[in-house]
Amino acid sequence: MEVATQPKYSQIEQVQSDLREGKLTCVQVVEYYLDRIEASKELNIYIEIYAEEALAKAKAIDERLQKNADDLGRLFGVVVSLKDVLCYKDHQVTGGSKILTGFTSMFSATGVERVVEEDAIIIGRVNCDEFAMGSTTENSHYGPTRNAADPSRVPGGSSGGSAVAVQADTCLVSLGTDTGGSVRQPASFCGVVGFKPTYGRISRYGLLAYGSSFDQLGVLAQSVSDTALFLEIMAGPDEFDSTASQRAVEPYASKLSFERKAKIAYFGSALDHPSLDQGVRSICQGLIEQLRADGHTVEAVDFDYLDYIIPAYYVLTTAEASSNLSRYDGIRYGYRSSNATNLMETYKKSRTEGFGTEVKRRIMLGTFVLSAGYYDAYYTKAQKARKLIQEKTFEIFEEYDFILLPAAPGPAWHLGDNVDDPVAMYLADIFTVQANMVGIPAICLPAGTHPEEGLPVGVQFMANRFQEADLLAFSQKVMDALPKS
Ligand code: GLN
């Protein structure tokens, strides 16, 4: 099997300058990625490939390029894959679930539409955990995706297909979603950039809902500059999502220089925690040393609420999921059981047969925490914990620009390792969930290779709400300073 290679292009600028100079055609760019998809088939990245359509679009772009390159959109020549929870008009979307088998979107997600309008080429939809619930991409109806650095390892999740799609160079950029780390943790496991904006920065319209007060679209790419350009294009108000912010979108991609010295906090309780993998710790510490040497202030701060983050997150997200997923009833979308003889049985059997184990576990957990007798004990309490975690996090940002954390407690583990222990799996989300609980932007940068395991390891930075411009500019600085592997 052919696995990770040096990518042909690691930045949009490179592919566009080659196209402009006529070094190759857009059709050839698409053919290159289609070949890469074929070569990495055993990693099980793509659920569906839009080969003909992508080639036809490339041909049209080549013709327009001949006429006037200046008329093209900002993403011409950029080949993109979509996580299978993002709607793309007239294409299937299944949320990695059997229950949406055969369902075709009637409209595109706003983020997808804005990218397509800028002449990006969508090459296919990629695998993910069912309804984005999971940390390994093993909870997919389509089987697990494998990590290109070592195919016996998981790619992380739930946007595992997106991370490997970029890692294995089958597309330049992939769009994912992040409810509790689903863009950043797989980015860490696969050695790519993974970014989640402030809650509401990008419209959630057309994203199959999991935890609506947490969900955000995110970007997986090879570079910070591509990430910034995608954010710039996708962000902004949307009449179809009242939670999309009205705040003006900044020209993130042209504001990537960071000249001042940053003040960065990290949690001693996280970096010194005995359960943190040694190799991950040493990569974080190495980066901290380097940031200090570059004149930035990096200080340990106390944060006593880490232990509450996971329980509160899993109460709140399962509650929201139990409500969001009630729409999949065997009547309105996709799969309908053929073993039912009346309406009630149709609901029950379609849901029983259509959902996987993890999704059912979460629907039941969510229904339980919302039930009259337990609502206050669990749901209300988790909301209070969320509020407290938000306040304490904002207090840190009164003094610091960024918070540095690992993205995951270790490098990618082996397929099958945690599947029988959902709680262990949930606990591994410890470092990513905070950003979603608080609604702040966060990015995972490929920071090094694990000294013993030889696997990619990412480091995460979080910033205050709507500080994307600063976070991305600083990330660019960090990437420039990191040794190139
Ligand atoms: N692993 C987390 C979960 O299972 C995060 C998932 C996500 O961000 N979509 O809920």
Side-chain angles (χ1 to χ4, degrees):
M1 182 189 328
E2 200 187 326
V3 289
T5 53
Q6 271 306 98
K8 184 172 175 72
Y9 294 109
S10 49
Q11 255 173 307
I12 293 170
E13 250 171 58
Q14 298 166 344
V15 61
Q16 292 185 339
S17 101
D18 276 9
L19 288 171
R20 274 209 188 86
E21 287 167 27
K23 286 199 183 140
L24 83 178
T25 63
C26 196
V27 167
Q28 285 169 324
V29 172
V30 170
E31 280 168 350
Y32 167 78
Y33 287 117
L34 289 171
D35 286 349
R36 291 291 316 146
I37 292 174
E38 183 61 30
S40 49
K41 233 166 136 179
E42 286 168 58
L43 300 174
N44 195 28
I45 307 170
Y46 284 78
I47 297 175
E48 197 181 350
I49 305 157
Y50 311 137
E52 266 175 39
E53 206 185 307
L55 286 167
K57 188 146 188 204
K59 194 161 168 266
I61 287 178
D62 281 331
E63 281 158 16
R64 286 166 64 200
L65 250 168
Q66 291 280 315
K67 285 189 198 132
N68 185 2
D70 295 336
D71 279 352
L72 288 163
R74 286 180 287 172
L75 296 178
F76 81 90
V78 180
V79 172
V80 176
S81 64
L82 301 178
K83 181 178 182 180
D84 188 31
V85 294
L86 294 170
C87 293
Y88 182 26
K89 191 174 190 296
D90 299 332
H91 295 75
Q92 290 194 24
V93 62
T94 67
S97 180
K98 180 178 171 186
I99 209 154
L100 274 177
T101 305
F103 176 73
T104 300
S105 301
M106 283 170 290
F107 54 83
S108 290
T110 301
V112 172
E113 188 161 291
R114 290 182 182 175
V115 157
V116 169
E117 272 168 10
E118 293 288 348
D119 288 327
I121 296 177
I122 311 293
I123 201 156
R125 66 187 161 106
V126 289
N127 205 11
C128 59
D129 286 301
E130 189 176 0
F131 290 110
M133 297 176 190
S135 307
T136 61
T137 316
E138 292 168 293
N139 298 338
S140 166
H141 173 58
Y142 302 95
T145 296
R146 291 165 182 275
N147 194 314
D150 173 354
S152 71
R153 309 271 180 162
V154 299
S158 64
S159 312
S162 292
V164 186
V166 175
Q167 177 193 30
D169 202 26
T170 68
C171 59
L172 189 54
V173 173
S174 188
L175 299 186
T177 60
D178 193 311
T179 304
S182 277
V183 162
R184 291 159 287 147
Q185 181 258 26
S188 177
F189 283 8
C190 296
V192 301
V193 175
F195 171 68
K196 173 205 102 73
T198 305
Y199 179 79
R201 182 65 298 187
I202 299 177
S203 163
R204 288 179 295 111
Y205 181 69
L207 187 183
L208 304 188
Y210 159 21
S212 305
S213 75
F214 297 77
D215 295 340
Q216 257 301 278
L217 265 76
V219 182
L220 295 107
Q222 308 266 9
S223 68
V224 172
S225 57
D226 290 0
T227 306
L229 183 59
F230 267 74
L231 175 67
E232 195 176 313
I233 288 166
M234 292 193 292
D238 178 16
E239 60 173 316
F240 297 117
D241 175 7
S242 60
T243 64
S245 170
Q246 298 293 321
R247 228 179 140 108
V249 176
E250 295 169 67
Y252 306 107
S254 45
K255 283 175 80 174
L256 283 178
S257 77
F258 191 91
E259 297 310 337
R260 57 196 171 84
K261 298 298 174 199
K263 261 195 104 180
I264 303 153
Y266 69 88
F267 302 154
S269 51
L271 276 198
D272 301 333
H273 202 278
S275 68
L276 183 66
D277 173 275
Q278 272 297 358
V280 171
R281 177 180 298 130
S282 72
I283 287 173
C284 289
Q285 275 165 347
L287 183 59
I288 290 174
E289 294 306 313
Q290 195 182 332
L291 290 167
R292 284 183 179 142
D294 292 342
H296 304 289
T297 304
V298 191
E299 290 171 348
V301 298
D302 288 334
F303 188 76
D304 300 329
Y305 307 91
L306 269 187
D307 288 348
Y308 303 105
I309 290 182
I310 293 289
Y313 169 83
Y314 277 96
V315 168
L316 295 173
T317 51
T318 54
E320 294 186 20
S322 69
S323 158
N324 275 326
L325 271 61
S326 64
R327 74 192 67 178
Y328 306 112
D329 56 5
I331 304 288
R332 284 176 285 188
Y333 313 92
Y335 177 78
R336 179 177 305 168
S337 172
S338 50
N339 305 317
T341 53
N342 58 41
L343 182 64
M344 203 43 102
E345 267 191 15
T346 303
Y347 291 152
K348 279 191 189 163
K349 294 201 168 164
S350 302
R351 284 168 71 82
T352 304
E353 293 160 22
F355 286 134
T357 308
E358 181 61 23
V359 170
K360 282 189 244 189
R361 180 182 291 128
R362 295 195 190 195
I363 291 173
M364 287 191 278
L365 190 60
T367 308
F368 175 76
V369 300
L370 287 177
S371 60
Y374 293 99
Y375 189 94
D376 281 343
Y378 293 102
Y379 187 70
T380 308
K381 192 150 192 176
Q383 277 190 313
K384 286 185 183 155
R386 184 178 195 180
K387 190 95 188 76
L388 190 67
I389 291 160
Q390 285 174 338
E391 282 166 10
K392 295 294 166 188
T393 307
F394 290 138
E395 270 174 28
I396 297 175
F397 287 124
E398 281 171 17
E399 231 185 296
Y400 295 90
D401 301 306
F402 309 114
I403 298 173
L404 179 154
L405 271 181
W413 54 86
H414 287 102
L415 270 91
D417 267 5
N418 278 335
V419 281
D420 297 328
D421 189 348
V423 175
M425 193 82 100
Y426 299 165
L427 288 171
D429 294 336
I430 177 85
F431 299 126
T432 46
V433 162
Q434 184 177 1
N436 307 76
M437 290 282 276
V438 184
I440 53 178
I443 192 163
C444 174
L445 302 172
T449 303
H450 193 278
E452 280 96 46
E453 314 256 13
L455 295 164
V457 172
V459 173
Q460 183 188 200
F461 290 93
M462 304 189 280
N464 207 347
R465 297 182 78 232
F466 295 105
Q467 298 307 306
E468 276 81 1
D470 243 17
L471 178 62
L472 290 164
F474 181 70
S475 298
Q476 181 65 60
K477 188 130 204 149
V478 173
M479 289 288 276
D480 291 343
L482 282 169
K484 301 283 165 284
S485 52

